[in-house]
């Protein structure tokens, strides 16, 4: 594996992600921000944050597989959520857990979540981009 995830002493243990990833490998993979589109470009889960988060993670999984990787290779995620408030965290985590179950992984790389006013189209509630390192 090219990624080692750490929660160093002196930093809080969040659970949903790790504080540090140490990457070793030879190829960087940058996955464009993924939204809740299916393969035909149709929005999945309009108005449903859980379904959209799940779809974003599944799309990232598809993109990583095309590059020869998986979520085990992800060094960092950046998440953009429309009108973010802390009470949406359980919905976000549920969507991530549903995708993780389908992908057979535990996607907990370091991540940054940013609340935004809007995304590319009004139906999209979340966008997630990934950086991975492959051996």
């Amino acid at each position: 594996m090219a990624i080692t995830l750490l929660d160093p002493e002196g930093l809080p243990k969040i659970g949903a992600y790790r504080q540090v990833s140490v990457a070793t490998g030879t190829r960087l993979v940058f996955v464009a921000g993924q939204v809740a589109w299916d393969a035909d470009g149709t929005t999945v889960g309009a108005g449903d944050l859980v379904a959209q988060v799940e779809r974003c993670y599944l799309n990232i999984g598809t993109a990583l597989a095309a590059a020869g990787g998986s979520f085990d290779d992800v060094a960092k995620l950046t998440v953009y959520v429309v009108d973010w408030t802390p009470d949406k965290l359980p919905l976000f985590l549920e969507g991530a857990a549903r995708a993780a179950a389908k992908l057979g992984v535990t996607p907990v790389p370091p991540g940054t979540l940013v609340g935004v006013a809007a995304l590319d189209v009004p139906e999209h509630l979340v966008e997630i981009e990934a950086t991975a390192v492959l051996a």
Side-chain angles (χ1 to χ4, degrees), residues 2-99:
I3 304 295
T4 302
L5 301 175
L6 306 171
D7 271 331
E9 291 299 321
L11 294 177
K13 292 178 179 29
I14 304 300
Y17 63 89
R18 301 298 179 263
Q19 295 285 1
V20 177
S21 67
V22 179
T24 56
T26 57
R27 295 187 306 144
L28 288 176
V29 178
F30 299 92
V31 178
Q34 295 298 302
V35 293
W37 276 332
D38 64 13
D40 297 321
T42 302
T43 298
V44 173
D48 182 346
L49 182 61
V50 174
Q52 289 200 17
V53 169
E54 177 183 11
R55 187 61 197 206
C56 290
Y57 273 86
L58 294 175
N59 288 350
I60 290 169
T62 298
L64 291 169
S70 73
F71 260 97
D72 290 334
D73 302 306
V74 174
K76 173 90 166 49
L77 291 174
T78 304
V79 179
Y80 305 91
V81 181
V82 174
D83 297 326
W84 175 257
T85 55
D87 63 309
K88 293 181 181 178
L89 184 59
L91 299 173
F92 179 85
L93 294 175
E94 181 181 341
R98 285 179 16 184

